[in-house]
Every structure is written in C-alpha cells, then in structure tokens.
Amino acid sequence: GDSVTQMEGPVTLSEEAFLTINCTYTATGYPSLFWYVQYPGEGLQLLLKATKADDKGSNKGFEATYRKETTSFHLEKGSVQVSDSAVYFCALTHSGNTPLVFGKGTRLSVIA
Amino acid sequence: EAQVTQNPRYLITVTGKKLTVTCSQNMNHEYMSWYRQDPGLGLRQIYYSMNVEVTDKGDVPEGYKVSRKEKRNFPLILESPSPNQTSLYFCASSTGLAGVGLYEQYFGPGTRLTVT
C-alpha cells in the first residue's frame, strides 16, 4: 500500500536558519502531495500542496517541489522563525475519495 | 467561520464506560474522517465516511464505531473503552470531490482522551 516516510525529529534550529525536512513516498500512480502543520495544542492545518510532478507548492515562506523521479516532496524554508515551531506532516492521497496517508511527523523547534 | 468542532476537548474516563466524541462541520462537506495521533506513530485513520449513511473502516477501526445520519455530524463511539485507546483524536472533513485542489482536509482542534 501507499506510505510516506519523513525524517525523524526533533529538529532544532536557530532563528533565521535554513530548514529542510525530507519526505519520500511510495505510491502507485500519481498521488497529490501535502504538507500539514500542527501548532502546539491545535489541529492540523494545510500548509501547502502539489498535485502533479514538478509542481511547487508554497505558503508562508515554505516551499516543496513534487519530484516524481525521486518520489520526494521535501519541505524547505530559507529563514525560520520561532513561530514556525510545530510538528510538520507530509501526506499523500490519490484522485477520488481516498484517505490521506500521513508520515509520522517531524517536530521542529526554533530557538531565538 | 468555516470550521470543524469537536467535543469534548479533554476527557478522562474509566475502562468499559461507553463514551461518544462528537464532530460537526459547517462547510457542507461530504467526506469526514476520524484519526488518532500517537507518539511515534503519526496519524492513523480510524473510520471515514464518503457521505450520509456511508461509512468505511480505516487502518485502526477495532474498538470504535461511527455513524453518519446527517451530513454535518460524524460522532465517534467507544462502546467499551480500554487504556490502549488513550490518544489524541482528530476529526476532519473535505469536499471529497475528485479534481485538482479539492483534497484539503480541515481538521478539528482535537480531543485528548485518557482511559484509566
């Protein structure tokens, strides 16, 4: 079945550092890919998405590019802030009414 | 405001005492789903529903029941809770329609359940 693998956390960075959180997937066909973010004490929010190969999703300074050849969707941000501290989830789903498949999440802590 | 609401937000109960966690969405979404979140395991789907009166098992349905009598509501029922059901539970909804950009799932704030 489909699966998503994320880099293990926690990731601790200083403010203004560059962030990469790796995500690779195993799936048949051409799934849509997502990054969700969970701030402390809250539910998940969609951060960005990409629906086909070479698409780049972006939001709030975060970016991720759908790489079909490497089955990856790595999350990047050029300069993190303390307010970016959260748990980040990579996820995929197929066209049609199929459930989201989540990675295990990566906790990011940004220190001032 | 478009939202998914869950109640209660926190619940401590004892083994075997039936409980229901409610979930409601005001976006007229067809698709609704329940997840549990556990450390080191991420989110795992419990049950989902494509539409009214249509429900299906997710990855970890054992010990749970759901119902979908109305489009907006999707309660999660634990008939006889056990300690291994101690977890953080999330309800989510989406339009469920095929097509570009229509797979965003909106999540509720979560219900932290402790079963002693």
Side-chain angles (χ1 to χ4, degrees), chain B residues 28-89:
Chain B
N28 202 36
H29 283 167
E30 292 170 347
Y31 183 95
M32 297 186 75
S33 180
W34 277 102
Y35 297 88
R36 61 177 289 174
Q37 183 180 16
D38 302 289
L41 296 176
L43 280 88
R44 295 177 292 169
Q45 190 178 53
I46 303 170
Y47 268 95
Y48 64 98
S49 170
M50 301 290 198
N51 213 326
V52 175
E53 302 293 0
V54 180
T55 63
D56 279 295
K57 296 178 180 179
D59 297 321
V60 288
E62 293 76 21
Y64 304 94
K65 286 175 57 178
V66 292
S67 69
R68 189 88 182 275
K69 292 183 169 55
E70 306 166 280
K71 198 171 190 179
R72 65 182 293 128
N73 296 323
F74 191 46
L76 180 69
I77 303 156
L78 284 72
E79 295 270 4
S80 182
S82 61
N84 65 10
Q85 293 179 298
T86 292
S87 187
L88 180 59
Y89 291 86

Side-chain angles (χ1 to χ4, degrees), chain A residues 65-108:
Chain A
T65 301
Y66 189 143
R67 301 286 188 200
K68 180 67 177 174
E69 64 276 12
T70 55
T71 61
S72 65
F73 193 54
H74 304 321
L75 182 68
E76 296 181 336
K77 187 175 185 182
S79 176
V80 293
Q81 306 300 312
V82 172
S83 57
D84 294 326
S85 298
V87 181
Y88 292 82
F89 292 91
C90 187
L92 68 80
T93 189
H94 291 276
S95 298
N97 294 321
T98 56
L100 277 169
V101 175
F102 285 93
K104 293 184 178 180
T106 302
R107 182 176 299 278
L108 170 66

Side-chain angles (χ1 to χ4, degrees), chain A residues 1-96:
Chain A
D2 296 344
S3 66
V4 175
T5 303
Q6 291 180 235
M7 62 187 290
E8 298 262 340
V11 174
T12 302
L13 296 173
S14 298
E15 210 166 21
E16 299 184 3
F18 185 87
L19 168 71
T20 300
I21 300 178
N22 290 337
C23 170
T24 57
Y25 67 89
T26 301
T28 56
Y30 299 90
S32 294
L33 302 174
F34 305 84
W35 277 100
Y36 279 82
V37 58
Q38 183 181 26
Y39 298 105
E42 298 183 12
L44 278 72
Q45 304 172 24
L46 179 66
L47 180 61
L48 54 84
K49 61 179 182 263
T51 56
K52 60 182 188 294
D54 299 324
D55 266 2
K56 177 185 283 188
S58 61
N59 186 24
K60 299 181 180 180
F62 291 89
E63 294 183 339
T65 301
Y66 189 143
R67 301 286 188 200
K68 180 67 177 174
E69 64 276 12
T70 55
T71 61
S72 65
F73 193 54
H74 304 321
L75 182 68
E76 296 181 336
K77 187 175 185 182
S79 176
V80 293
Q81 306 300 312
V82 172
S83 57
D84 294 326
S85 298
V87 181
Y88 292 82
F89 292 91
C90 187
L92 68 80
T93 189
H94 291 276
S95 298

